[in-house]
Amino acid sequence: MRNLERRTNLSPFPKGGTRGILLRVCAINLVANREIPFAPPLKKGEGCNSNTLFVWGANDMTDLICESEATRTPASPLRVGVLVSGNGSNLQALLDYSERRSCRFKVVSVISNCPGVFALERAQRSNVPTQVIEHQKFTTREEFEQNLIQALIGHSVDVVVLAGFMRMLTPIFLRAFPNRIVNVHPALSPSFPGAHAVKDALKYGVRITGCTVHLVDEGMDTGRILAQAAVPVFEGDDEMTLKGRIQTREHLLLPQVIEGIARGLISEKGFSV
Ligand code: GRF
């Protein structure tokens, strides 16, 4: 328990405000699928590129912390634990990104609540330790989550990423990693929360949808938005084609956000559109 308390005090995010001397404000931007790690500072409302439908905006420049305050380096990366339940294409995006020499995060643990899923194989191929913790084997959610928490703490995880993890988390888990759990959702939050976001967006008839990377709170796909990317809906789209288009964006956005956290570019205040 003492170990848990000690770790929960360690936030990967820079403290709010302009701590220290702001030498250089950095931002991450995506233009035409290219990564520009240190784009010029964005002004409020900038960063929406209609060609790529990538939406990016900072509502407060003090949310962007200069690189000199970044706490992580490639030699001492942000330690990321990934929870999965299925295919793991977002996990793969994180694994691929983390192979860059300049990357400041490392996936150190992958845990699935379902045995035999492809995400586990992806992790094993990258030599990342995996574990299966089946929720069905526990009588209470608390017991299940305590096991998850202990496993993640065992790998000294700084940030937990939910990459297609199909379980709601209780305050027990949230308290163990305060402001350090990130989820990717296949819709532009707060629209279409839940497990059928793509289907619901199609059914509603929206012309633009997208994906959201956000901090996790007790709600269903709620929590502070860190970044969003917009995706067009075309005539004749079905759930599969639209999901594919959204996931292409997720695979770009999620690693960028985790890298942004590791570099101290994204505070727990996050970004908003
Ligand atoms: C993603 O589309 C994500 O938005 C949602 O679950 C899906 C997981 O896909 N939360 P994958 O397992 O990463 O391929």
Side-chain angles (χ1 to χ4, degrees):
M1 200 58 192
R2 169 167 290 181
N3 191 23
L4 171 61
E5 278 162 15
R6 190 178 60 78
R7 289 211 56 75
T8 54
N9 289 332
L10 292 176
S11 169
F13 296 102
K15 291 273 182 289
T18 47
R19 192 162 47 92
I21 303 166
L22 201 66
L23 294 173
R24 180 176 161 218
V25 177
C26 307
I28 297 172
N29 201 358
L30 287 174
V31 178
N33 294 349
R34 282 182 302 117
E35 179 198 357
I36 303 177
F38 296 105
L42 299 173
K43 292 201 189 85
K44 191 173 180 176
E46 279 186 353
C48 177
N49 183 321
S50 57
N51 290 329
T52 60
L53 285 165
F54 182 81
V55 184
W56 186 267
N59 56 357
D60 178 352
M61 287 309 292
T62 59
D63 284 355
L64 305 177
I65 311 298
C66 67
E67 196 194 5
S68 63
E69 290 191 349
T71 51
R72 306 298 168 156
T73 64
S76 175
L78 187 79
R79 297 176 66 82
V80 178
V82 184
L83 302 188
V84 294
S85 301
N87 178 34
S89 65
N90 280 285
L91 165 67
Q92 190 65 57
L94 291 168
L95 293 169
D96 292 346
Y97 192 101
S98 69
E99 289 195 351
R100 298 176 187 205
R101 256 198 312 168
S102 60
C103 181
R104 299 188 190 194
F105 70 82
K106 183 178 180 195
V107 179
V108 294
S109 166
V110 171
I111 302 174
S112 173
N113 64 318
C114 304
V117 294
F118 189 46
L120 290 166
E121 200 178 315
R122 293 179 192 271
Q124 282 150 11
R125 279 188 205 158
S126 294
N127 297 317
V128 176
T130 59
Q131 218 170 322
V132 176
I133 301 179
E134 286 181 75
H135 60 277
Q136 285 162 338
K137 295 214 166 142
F138 299 94
T139 41
T140 63
R141 288 168 81 186
E142 287 71 21
E143 224 184 308
F144 167 61
E145 291 185 2
Q146 286 297 358
N147 274 267
L148 284 182
I149 293 166
Q150 290 312 320
L152 292 163
I153 287 174
H155 287 281
S156 304
V157 158
D158 298 309
V159 163
V160 181
V161 175
L162 311 184
F165 182 66
M166 304 307 281
R167 303 292 302 168
M168 286 289 286
L169 294 165
T170 74
I172 290 181
F173 191 90
L174 301 181
R175 273 200 301 269
F177 300 96
N179 278 334
R180 293 192 286 144
I181 309 168
V182 175
N183 183 42
V184 55
H185 179 65
L188 289 177
S189 299
S191 296
F192 310 118
H196 306 290
V198 179
K199 193 172 167 187
D200 292 347
L202 264 178
K203 195 167 157 201
Y204 197 92
V206 294
R207 308 320 295 166
I208 293 176
T209 182
C211 55
T212 301
V213 179
H214 63 94
L215 293 179
V216 175
D217 64 12
E218 285 174 49
M220 168 83 83
D221 300 314
T222 54
R224 185 177 289 280
I225 293 171
L226 299 176
Q228 291 185 307
V231 167
V233 182
F234 295 134
E235 285 301 327
D237 263 340
D238 57 23
E239 202 179 332
M240 215 163 77
T241 55
L242 184 55
K243 186 177 169 193
R245 199 173 306 122
I246 292 171
Q247 285 205 324
T248 303
R249 284 290 163 195
E250 291 182 343
H251 301 162
L252 290 170
L253 197 62
L254 179 63
Q256 293 274 358
V257 169
I258 304 304
E259 180 70 359
I261 292 170
R263 286 176 182 247
L265 299 175
I266 297 178
S267 77
E268 62 200 45
K269 286 183 178 175
F271 291 94
S272 63
V273 186

